[in-house]
Amino acid sequence: MQTVVIVIHLMIVAVMIGAVLLQKSEGGGLGMGGGAGFMSSRGTANLLTRMTAVLAALFFLTSLFLSWHAGLDRRPASIIGTDAPAPTQPAGGAPITPPTSGGILDSLKKADEQQGQQAPAGPQAPRSQ
């Protein structure tokens, strides 16, 4: 359904661009005042003005529908997992201490220490082969 509405939306955009380009320029900002057209001046102004207004309304409606339809599947996500219960304080009042080994941070720290020991003391010149 979304694909059908996108195609209709693009058709509305193409027709609206054509309708705006066919309208007579009132300001003459580029020196291209409206010359003789294929329709009379009054009929063209009324038809194109109304058509542009209808196309603009349809454009806004399809835009709103597409944004609403795209947001249907979104659900707010929590950073904190809701499956795990929150840690509680023991009855004695002693604070909970985190585990001291086996964590990902500990393994990364060990890897950094091993790389630091193997690193050369200073810069070396490139060797030719």
Side-chain angles (χ1 to χ4, degrees), residues 33-94:
F38 64 94
M39 296 173 72
S40 69
S41 296
R42 286 186 184 163
T44 304
N46 288 337
L47 174 70
L48 290 177
T49 303
R50 288 183 184 172
M51 189 167 83
T52 304
V54 169
L55 288 171
L58 290 173
F59 174 79
F60 283 118
L61 286 176
T62 55
S63 297
L64 288 173
F65 177 78
L66 286 171
S67 65
W68 172 76
H69 188 58
L72 283 178
D73 296 335
R74 288 191 211 143
R75 288 179 180 55
S78 175
I79 296 174
I80 302 170
T82 56
D83 297 336
T88 57
Q89 195 91 12

Side-chain angles (χ1 to χ4, degrees), residues 119-124:
Q124 296 179 352

